[in-house]
Amino acid sequence: MVWKWLGKIFACLLFAALIGLVGLIAAFFISFSSVSQRFYIPLIIVTGAALVLWNALRVLSSINPRILNRSLYAVLALIAVTLGGYEINKAYERSVPVVSEQDVDVWEYMPFAQQSKVVSLEEPAALSIDSDLPILDGATALYPLYAAFAQAVYPEKEYPPHDSEVMVNTTPEAYNNLLKGTVDIIFVAEPSIRQRGEAQQMGKELKLTPIGREAFVFFVNADNPVTGLTTEQIQDIYAGKITNWREVGGRDEPIQAFQRPEDSGSQTMLEKIMEGKELMTPPQEDVLRGMGGIIEQTADYRNHKNAIGYSFLFFSSEMVRNGNIRLLAVDGVLPDKTTIADGSYPLAAEFYAVTAGSDNPHVEALIEWILSPQGQWLVERTGYSPVNP
């Protein structure tokens, strides 16, 4: 009798080991795939546990096998429904349009490229730099502008966007490159508190030269009936105090307020207009990193009917050109070149050429030229508002 029970226990342990091995193999392949580990690995654990428990009860207990089998089928059916619902929801999420810097083809703005969208001067530039070219970097939204500066002043050749004297990165990467000394000038929004602190720790002094003005804009799905918000309403939405569109004249739907990554130019601007109010936690998404590892990061804006997001005017209206979003009026004023120039749009801000002690001999001359009538003409013709009209 004892040997019979030991045999049953051994069979149960062997079955559990087999299920565990299959689960480990499945988890290994999932870790190198693009599916969510946060969903599928717990699903594997639950499924394996259900099978092991079913087998143990079947072998070691006197419960009616028909009842055990039906219970197992019910659990597996529930798991299948959960899996189906998850995949349907993910398919829906993938179908919703995204407004992201990754949507922009920066190669379309490369200096001297055939059919480049970069604005060209109508006359020879008053400045010409043929050697010791200052290395430029900056935010995606400003790349069309400083690419135009380079096309006017630099010698004609190829300037690949990610490996040349005229690079483009995100705002945080551009600041990091400037502080490391790998670039001479970056074109960005003002630095965040963390970026200023990092510069101070490294003994670097950030010199910010305003070269243009731009509107910080908020946008919603084009079907959203809300056409404008006050600055206070925006603050309350992003502080989590206003959570439903009906509170600001819209439909009875929860507000899905997207944010941008920390230290990006637009996120720094949002923090500034919050005037000390604490930002709520933004929507997150799982992102694949490295050896199949998953991390959480701030989700890109998805154009759900209840979503709200923000960026700068030129990026959202010219570089993305998404007809499914609509810009909101702020305090009753729509953002455009006129309202930026006359100061009536309340969320206009300067953007900068930023240096940190470069020893390149042409840096100061280039910045002076950018502030000249030719440089400011390029600012205006690209789509921004000049600081020196």
Side-chain angles (χ1 to χ4, degrees):
M1 190 67 177
V2 173
W3 288 107
K4 183 178 179 180
W5 273 99
L6 288 176
K8 289 183 177 182
I9 292 172
F10 178 77
C12 289
L13 292 175
L14 187 62
F15 182 83
L18 180 62
I19 293 295
L21 179 62
V22 172
L24 283 174
I25 293 171
F28 175 79
F29 283 106
I30 284 172
S31 69
F32 286 92
S33 71
S34 60
V35 300
S36 174
Q37 293 181 28
R38 296 179 189 274
F39 174 79
Y40 275 96
I41 289 181
L43 186 71
I44 289 171
I45 293 172
V46 170
T47 304
L51 290 171
V52 169
L53 179 61
W54 165 80
N55 183 67
L57 292 173
R58 183 180 63 85
V59 174
L60 300 176
S61 76
S62 58
I63 299 175
N64 190 320
R66 184 175 298 177
I67 295 175
L68 284 175
N69 290 340
R70 287 177 178 175
S71 299
L72 177 64
Y73 298 153
V75 170
L76 294 179
L78 181 60
I79 291 172
V81 169
T82 303
L83 175 60
Y86 174 81
E87 286 299 335
I88 290 171
N89 181 65
K90 295 299 289 185
Y92 167 71
E93 284 288 324
R94 289 190 291 267
S95 72
V96 177
V98 177
V99 176
S100 167
E101 289 186 353
Q102 281 70 44
D103 296 333
V104 177
D105 184 3
V106 293
W107 290 84
E108 294 181 343
Y109 298 92
M110 189 173 73
F112 301 108
Q114 288 187 349
Q115 299 180 332
S116 175
K117 294 183 178 180
V118 170
V119 175
S120 298
L121 283 176
E122 297 177 345
E123 60 188 8
L127 174 68
S128 178
I129 303 175
D130 297 318
S131 61
D132 293 326
L133 304 179
I135 301 175
L136 312 180
D137 197 356
T140 304
L142 290 173
Y143 179 63
L145 177 57
Y146 64 88
F149 296 155
Q151 183 168 275
V153 174
Y154 285 13
E156 182 171 354
K157 64 174 186 175
E158 286 192 0
Y159 295 93
H162 303 296
D163 184 25
S164 71
E165 294 92 341
V166 189
M167 298 191 297
V168 58
N169 283 293
T170 61
T171 296
E173 288 178 283
Y175 271 107
N176 285 338
N177 289 338
L178 181 69
L179 294 177
K180 288 189 297 184
T182 56
V183 302
D184 298 301
I185 311 173
I186 61 173
F187 297 86
V188 286
E190 66 175 298
S192 66
I193 294 174
R194 191 196 67 80
Q195 287 161 338
R196 290 182 185 274
E198 187 176 349
Q200 189 173 17
Q201 289 178 357
M202 297 176 68
K204 299 287 184 73
E205 181 180 355
L206 296 176
K207 181 179 179 182
L208 282 64
T209 304
I211 63 170
R213 289 176 58 78
E214 176 64 318
F216 184 59
V217 300
F218 290 83
F219 47 79
V220 294
N221 186 287
D223 291 332
N224 192 323
V226 175
T227 58
L229 296 168
T230 66
T231 301
E232 185 177 2
Q233 286 172 330
I234 291 169
Q235 292 172 340
D236 287 345
I237 286 172
Y238 278 93
K241 293 182 179 179
I242 294 177
T243 59
N244 194 294
W245 282 110
R246 71 168 180 269
E247 299 177 64
V248 291
R251 302 187 188 98
D252 184 9
E253 293 180 316
I255 298 174
Q256 192 169 12
F258 286 89
Q259 296 185 38
R260 297 287 296 123
E262 188 178 2
D263 291 333
S264 66
S266 51
Q267 187 69 8
T268 299
M269 185 65 182
L270 177 66
E271 292 168 358
K272 183 177 180 180
I273 70 168
M274 289 297 289
E275 297 178 346
K277 295 181 180 179
E278 186 176 353
L279 285 166
M280 65 179 179
T281 302
Q284 304 282 310
E285 64 183 353
D286 293 346
V287 177
L288 196 66
R289 284 290 185 271
M291 296 290 289
I294 294 288
I295 66 166
E296 270 193 353
Q297 74 171 28
T298 302
D300 283 326
Y301 174 86
R302 287 189 178 272
N303 198 30
H304 298 283
K305 290 187 177 181
N306 64 336
I308 182 172
Y310 52 84
S311 184
F312 290 99
L313 178 61
F314 180 78
F315 176 80
S316 59
S317 62
E318 296 295 328
M319 294 183 79
V320 174
R321 289 186 176 275
N322 189 325
N324 296 317
I325 63 174
R326 186 180 64 251
L327 301 183
L328 295 176
V330 177
D331 296 335
V333 182
L334 279 168
D336 58 34
K337 288 184 180 181
T338 301
T339 57
I340 296 172
D342 64 21
S344 58
Y345 183 72
L347 302 182
E350 293 173 329
F351 56 87
Y352 304 89
V354 183
T355 57
S358 169
D359 58 2
N360 185 288
H362 301 300
V363 165
E364 292 302 323
L366 178 57
I367 292 176
E368 287 179 13
W369 177 83
I370 290 170
L371 294 173
S372 74
Q374 285 186 330
Q376 292 295 288
W377 184 88
L378 285 175
V379 171
E380 186 170 18
R381 287 300 296 271
T382 297
Y384 295 99
S385 297
V387 289
N388 297 326

